[in-house]
Amino acid sequence: MRLDHFIAKTLDLSERDARFRLIERKIVVDGKTATDHRLEVSRFSRVEIGDRILQEAVTQHYLMLHKPVGILSATQDPVHRTVLDLIDCPDKETLHLAGRLDRSSSGLILLTNDGRWSESLTDPERKIRKHYLVETDRPIPAEAVKKFEDGFEFQPEGIRTRPATLVIHGPCHAGVTLEEGRYHQIKRMFHRLDGIRLVSLHRDRIGSIALPHDLAAGDWRPLTAAEIQSPHPS
Ligand code: URA
């Protein structure tokens, strides 16, 4: 919300009076005197007027988890263990997932309480690339590379998948890069190649954030400042 709107709403003032408070240099946001009425404030901003605190800042949390196979990409579930059950940090109930993996898949999951940040990662228009390693139940035909690039018609959604990159590493091993995340997308794409099934599916990168080799399945860590700020497309 814009700062003048926030001040007007919180102090029950007209926007004109709210802007006067700014001109009088009475408003402090995150420790700095604010003068620009267009400054964006969120629940993560601390806002003060004189010695009165108008809003305490909520702490932002950003973390990565190495999801093991068998764990549900959800924050709660009556039956299955969820990714949140693996995390032990303050305010964990405020976290949500920035993208999911199937229960049978493993790899990188990002969690946060910052909705703007997760939206910027999952917005299809931003075309954030996600990279996966797959193992198949039988050899991958060479023509699969072009088919992944051309896209597949998906029913019942009635859509064509965006160009995806398939790099064949061995007869039954490949890397797949997607710019979107349709329901069971990679499994369905392989299945269209004469019914190939996946033995394993592992995500090792989302945009510029890579799953570290030393983060064991089931472990998590906070993101670094560089990972939080990194430009997402990779
Ligand atoms: N594609 C799938 O089929 N499953 C996943 O978990 C991710 C991508």
Side-chain angles (χ1 to χ4, degrees), residues 64-103:
M64 66 162 71
L65 168 78
H66 183 164
K67 184 185 105 58
V69 169
I71 299 291
L72 203 64
S73 290
T75 51
Q76 51 183 332
D77 186 82
V79 179
H80 300 290
R81 289 183 81 205
T82 70
V83 291
L84 219 54
D85 293 326
L86 302 177
I87 291 164
D88 175 23
C89 72
D91 308 329
K92 80 166 189 174
E93 67 290 345
T94 67
L95 299 175
H96 62 266
L97 287 89
R100 290 162 197 279
L101 283 172
D102 295 340
R103 195 153 73 90

Side-chain angles (χ1 to χ4, degrees), residues 32-169:
K32 287 190 200 129
T33 303
T35 48
D36 185 354
H37 65 276
R38 292 162 306 183
L39 185 73
E40 279 296 312
V41 290
S42 70
R43 63 202 173 95
F44 304 119
S45 318
R46 179 186 164 96
V47 187
E48 296 159 83
I49 179 163
D51 52 11
R52 183 173 160 203
I53 299 166
L54 295 185
Q55 175 178 277
E56 279 291 6
V58 170
T59 308
Q60 289 161 298
H61 298 286
Y62 306 89
L63 49 103
M64 66 162 71
L65 168 78
H66 183 164
K67 184 185 105 58
V69 169
I71 299 291
L72 203 64
S73 290
T75 51
Q76 51 183 332
D77 186 82
V79 179
H80 300 290
R81 289 183 81 205
T82 70
V83 291
L84 219 54
D85 293 326
L86 302 177
I87 291 164
D88 175 23
C89 72
D91 308 329
K92 80 166 189 174
E93 67 290 345
T94 67
L95 299 175
H96 62 266
L97 287 89
R100 290 162 197 279
L101 283 172
D102 295 340
R103 195 153 73 90
S104 57
S105 306
S106 60
L108 179 61
I109 288 276
L110 301 175
L111 295 110
T112 182
N113 60 351
D114 181 350
R116 281 202 184 177
W117 188 82
S118 55
E119 273 165 34
S120 76
L121 269 172
T122 53
D123 177 1
E125 294 311 311
R126 300 223 32 223
K127 299 185 178 163
I128 306 294
R129 289 192 210 126
K130 290 165 287 252
H131 184 259
Y132 303 81
L133 292 168
V134 299
E135 184 181 352
T136 56
D137 68 345
R138 65 205 113 109
I140 305 163
E143 62 270 22
V145 173
K146 174 135 189 352
K147 290 192 173 163
F148 270 57
E149 202 177 297
D150 291 347
F152 295 87
E153 298 290 340
F154 267 13
Q155 299 299 342
E157 297 97 316
I159 52 107
R160 186 168 196 88
T161 57
R162 287 189 183 162
T165 309
L166 175 70
V167 177
I168 300 177
H169 297 315

Side-chain angles (χ1 to χ4, degrees), residues 67 100-106 132 178 180-188 198 201 203:
K67 184 185 105 58
R100 290 162 197 279
L101 283 172
D102 295 340
R103 195 153 73 90
S104 57
S105 306
S106 60
Y132 303 81
L178 297 183
E180 58 189 341
R182 306 275 174 192
Y183 178 67
H184 291 335
Q185 180 160 349
I186 298 179
K187 286 180 187 153
R188 289 162 82 191
L198 296 191
L201 174 55
R203 181 160 67 197

